[in-house]
Amino acid sequence: MSDWNKRTKLVHGGTRRSQYNEVSEAIYLTQGFVYDSAEQAEARFIETGPDEFIYARYGNPTVAMFEERIAALEGAEDAFATASGMAAVSGALTSMLQAGDHVVSAKALFGSCLYILENILSRYGVEVTFVDGTDLAAWKAAMRPNTKAVFFESMSNPTLEVINVAAVAQIAHEVGAIVVVDNVFSTPVFSEAIAQGADVVIYSATKHIDGQGRALGGVILGTKDFIRGTVEPYMKHTGGSMSPFNAWVMLKGLETIDLRVRAQAESALAIAQALEGHAALQRTIYPGLASHAQSALVQKQLGGKGGTVLSIDLKGGQSAAFKFLNALEIAVISNNLGDAKSIATHPATTTHQRLPDDQKKDLGITPGLVRFSVGLEDTQDLIDDITRALATAES
Ligand SMILES: *Cc1c(COP(=O)(O)O)cnc(C)c1O
């Protein structure tokens, strides 16, 4: 399998067949596994072989198929599947950190990631320094001898800043810190994060991996040592494992992710190009546009691919943004992303509502900002829907 290209790995990677030789992967919807003898049960608790299982919280064949397939795609040695993206973020961090450790994190984060870093870790004696993720001098200045980890979203939500994985990794590795990247917006299709220096990569599988808005899931990718030595003991005892049914949904999602994400990204670029300079808009933010602040980095880090999400800032502020959202006929108002259905979100009043106004302002979450996750609908239909809704918002 190791010499297969990504698209082949996505279809066949990790497949395990039962005695029935089914074509489509089976869902092993079972909590436990029967041992042939008391001796076998004892042996399995001493050492569990690669295709041996004890209890679904520890591992399951369907979950193992998903873990192997996504690890093959990402180029990681191993993976641990989790109940949600947040179980992956909290599991990766809390399994490795202890009181007295220091973490440096980018400040532009998904709301729940920010909650973990700002509110939870400090309760357990872990100190966190927040930096502007695009400012390499700030990363460098924040490092300390006890900096155990750095954390950032390689492409931030909702303002789509792109952080230089290779450069931050180099700075972090100088003090021996582990580089943890939440890679959701970059997507597993365009990511080369491990090759670029990330030690641990995290996805919310709820987004592009499912891709059809059905199930929650997440995954932590890294070295075999880190996944089986640090993450697994923590996750299997604290209960954040992925369910077999959700693993099956995600496994089947991987078979089509390359086609879906490439089509969605192509559409996102066409929409961003059509909207750029529109009279109702203050800004059109899309990492694939030449006008994006880190466009050179997007070329280098993501092969020029800007992902499936764009953000627009309406000149008329919140009231224009609300009129725009309410006038959309194709895109739905919701807060997921990476779905086959286009989804529009008003971050200031929903996903980032909790943040104080000055923090919103600092992060660029203005009252007019709308995040638009581009789905699999016809591109021209989406452009027409958006431009019609913008006209309504202006009137
Ligand atoms: C959605 C998301 C998460 C959380 O994932 P869930 O599956 O909702 O728990 C974490 N980070 C980023 C960047 C996300 O977009």
Side-chain angles (χ1 to χ4, degrees):
M1 183 175 87
S2 58
D3 59 352
W4 289 348
N5 289 312
K6 280 186 173 184
R7 293 251 307 253
T8 309
K9 289 177 180 170
L10 283 171
V11 178
H12 293 286
T15 300
R16 284 165 169 74
R17 291 204 164 92
S18 77
Q19 71 273 34
Y20 302 114
N21 261 332
E22 61 282 350
V23 172
S24 177
E25 297 76 356
I27 312 176
Y28 291 92
L29 207 51
T30 178
Q31 298 145 340
F33 301 84
V34 176
Y35 312 105
D36 293 335
S37 64
E39 288 78 11
Q40 192 190 55
E42 181 188 30
R44 200 165 295 181
F45 272 79
I46 295 168
E47 199 185 337
T48 317
D51 256 320
E52 295 176 350
F53 299 94
I54 291 176
Y55 188 59
R57 179 153 43 74
Y58 291 28
N60 168 286
T62 313
V63 177
M65 286 193 259
F66 168 67
E67 290 172 342
E68 270 180 42
R69 194 169 287 182
I70 180 81
L73 171 64
E74 192 68 35
E77 284 179 19
D78 213 338
F80 192 92
T82 58
S84 67
M86 288 323 301
V89 173
S90 64
L93 292 172
T94 43
S95 66
M96 76 162 97
L97 295 170
Q98 61 181 38
D101 285 342
H102 173 245
V103 174
V104 183
S105 170
K107 64 184 175 182
L109 297 178
F110 180 74
S112 300
C113 295
L114 190 61
Y115 183 79
I116 290 176
L117 285 142
E118 229 180 9
N119 301 68
I120 297 183
L121 292 181
S122 60
R123 284 196 229 148
Y124 299 94
V126 175
E127 213 184 318
V128 182
T129 305
F130 289 97
V131 296
D132 171 348
T134 61
D135 181 351
L136 294 176
W139 283 103
K140 210 171 171 82
M143 295 297 153
R144 296 185 199 163
N146 67 333
T147 305
K148 182 74 189 290
V150 303
F151 180 81
F152 58 95
E153 290 169 17
S154 52
M155 195 185 278
S156 73
N157 171 33
T159 50
L160 309 174
E161 287 178 348
V162 180
I163 294 182
N164 190 329
V165 175
V168 174
Q170 195 183 359
I171 293 167
H173 289 157
E174 276 167 24
V175 299
I178 297 171
V179 177
V180 185
V181 180
D182 180 335
N183 220 15
V184 168
F185 280 65
S186 297
T187 83
V189 172
F190 302 130
S191 161
E192 299 288 343
I194 293 205
Q196 288 157 353
D199 300 301
V200 180
V201 171
I202 289 167
Y203 290 103
S204 161
T206 316
K207 313 291 166 55
H208 305 87
I209 296 176
D210 175 351
Q212 293 176 65
R214 298 163 294 191
L216 279 177
V219 65
I220 307 168
L221 298 125
T223 62
K224 199 160 256 342
D225 248 19
F226 180 75
I227 297 298
R228 297 301 151 195
T230 302
V231 172
E232 184 192 292
Y234 179 89
M235 294 305 296
K236 76 182 188 187
H237 294 300
T238 55
S241 307
M242 180 181 272
S243 89
F245 181 80
N246 286 11
W248 179 80
V249 173
M250 301 310 177
L251 183 64
K252 300 308 279 180
L254 285 178
E255 293 183 352
T256 56
I257 192 173
D258 190 273
L259 294 173
R260 285 186 283 108
V261 166
R262 284 183 197 280
Q264 285 166 274
E266 210 173 288
S267 227
L269 175 63
I271 295 169
Q273 284 169 337
L275 294 182
E276 198 171 29
H278 189 288
L281 299 177
Q282 193 103 317
R283 301 185 286 167
T284 300
I285 313 170
Y286 181 64
L289 285 176
S291 61
H292 188 275
Q294 286 104 31
S295 125
L297 178 60
V298 174
Q299 285 300 331
K300 207 167 124 200
Q301 184 160 305
L302 296 161
K305 302 298 183 183
T308 66
V309 179
L310 58 121
S311 290
I312 52 177
D313 198 352
L314 282 86
K315 284 182 184 161
Q318 181 173 324
S319 81
F322 274 29
K323 275 192 209 162
F324 169 73
L325 288 167
N326 293 337
L328 288 169
E329 286 173 6
I330 298 172
V332 297
I333 304 170
S334 188
N335 37 256
N336 191 20
L337 61 96
D339 198 296
K341 294 183 171 59
S342 289
I343 295 176
T345 313
H346 187 245
T349 54
T350 60
T351 53
H352 292 72
Q353 184 183 125
R354 195 179 62 83
L355 297 183
D357 284 345
D358 57 337
Q359 205 172 345
K360 280 182 200 156
K361 196 166 166 212
D362 183 40
L363 293 173
I365 303 170
T366 50
L369 193 76
V370 172
R371 187 186 78 187
F372 197 95
S373 167
V374 178
L376 285 170
E377 302 93 338
D378 182 82
T379 309
Q380 193 57 49
D381 284 350
L382 291 175
I383 293 172
D384 292 347
D385 191 32
I386 292 170
T387 41
R388 193 170 48 229
L390 281 175
T392 310
E394 271 182 308
S395 65

